[in-house]
Amino acid sequence: MNDIRFLWTSRERPEPGSRRWLVVWAKRALNLQGLLKILMNRRHFRARGVEVGALSILDRFDLKGPASNLRVGEHTFISGSAEIVVLDTVTIGSRVVINDRVTILTASHHLGDPGWRLFKKPIHIEDYAWIAVGATILPGVRIGYGAVVGAGAVVAKDVPPLAVATGNPATIRLNARPPNLCYDPVSLLPAYEAWTGHDKELAAPATSPLQGETGVGPRP
């Protein structure tokens, strides 16, 4: 209900009866089903025990393990074809994008162990990170503020803030993005844009932690 209240109070308000008013309300009617689906999906994950921040869009992705191990910040998007294994904690910050067929693993087996024992390690994905199509994040990895994991990359080590990781195994290119990131990845999705308008973001941008403020998700 808080999300609906926010969209209502933040809605675009064209002059009643104007052409723009008709267009806006037609878009809202056409996207109502999509908005309800977003709200139901978020309710589904919260009912399972996932901590989900305001206005985040979680498609029905494959979540394996105790759902209470997953925390998601605000204004974050997770594709429905992603797979997240939460045998240990996974903390995803705000304004993060996790694209199609991404795999996030918190557990694996010791190759040198005669008993092939399982080990578990937490994963942290900080604000404004972008995990592109088909990427794999392995146990114990931290993806820094604003970092990008390229399509198909396999990441076994931490990715520093604003860096880009590509390839298998991933190689790192440092300082590939600007430090003052201020976009909202969910604001242009039709179900939200129909309410806020194409030229508005859904909230004030987070401040970069590289400028002295805390803009990342919870740290261990």
Side-chain angles (χ1 to χ4, degrees):
M1 293 300 296
N2 288 337
D3 291 339
I4 295 176
R5 188 180 301 112
F6 181 87
L7 290 174
W8 178 255
T9 57
S10 303
R11 72 190 186 279
E12 181 182 358
R13 295 178 173 86
E15 182 181 353
S18 66
R19 180 179 179 183
R20 180 62 184 169
W21 183 87
L22 293 172
V23 169
V24 164
W25 280 102
K27 289 169 62 177
R28 290 169 182 171
L30 289 171
N31 287 285
L32 178 59
Q33 184 175 357
L35 178 60
L36 292 176
K37 181 179 179 181
I38 290 170
L39 297 176
M40 291 300 294
N41 285 348
R42 192 155 56 239
R43 182 177 180 180
H44 162 79
F45 283 109
R46 283 174 173 162
R48 290 183 61 183
V50 178
E51 182 181 320
V52 184
L55 296 170
S56 285
I57 297 177
L58 280 61
D59 285 344
R60 293 288 185 100
F61 59 87
D62 188 6
L63 179 62
K64 297 177 179 177
S68 59
N69 280 340
L70 177 60
R71 292 181 290 172
V72 181
E74 301 180 352
H75 301 242
T76 283
F77 172 80
I78 303 178
S79 168
S81 61
E83 178 183 7
I84 303 180
V85 179
V86 287
L87 296 182
D88 206 319
T89 58
V90 174
T91 303
I92 299 172
S94 297
R95 301 185 182 220
V96 171
V97 174
I98 297 178
N99 284 140
D100 295 343
R101 304 189 305 281
V102 167
T103 301
I104 297 174
L105 302 173
T106 54
S108 188
H109 294 269
H110 290 286
L111 295 179
D113 184 352
W116 200 50
R117 286 178 298 180
L118 185 77
F119 70 89
K120 300 181 290 185
K121 293 182 180 180
I123 287 175
H124 300 265
I125 300 175
E126 298 184 356
D127 294 353
Y128 286 105
W130 172 20
I131 316 299
V133 173
T136 299
I137 311 299
L138 297 180
V141 167
R142 178 183 290 275
I143 308 297
Y145 167 89
V148 176
V149 177
V154 177
V155 180
K157 298 180 180 180
D158 291 356
V159 180
L162 306 177
V164 173
T166 56
N168 179 12
T171 58
I172 306 295
R173 179 160 57 96
L174 298 174
N175 299 316
R177 301 188 81 191
N180 55 338
L181 298 170
C182 60
Y183 60 87
D184 188 336
V186 303
S187 65
L188 296 181
L189 295 177
Y192 287 166
E193 190 273 335
W195 288 92
T196 61
H198 66 278
D199 59 345
K200 293 175 62 180
E201 288 197 349
L202 297 176
T207 303
S208 166
L210 305 180
Q211 296 173 319
E213 298 293 335
T214 301
V216 298
R219 300 185 70 89

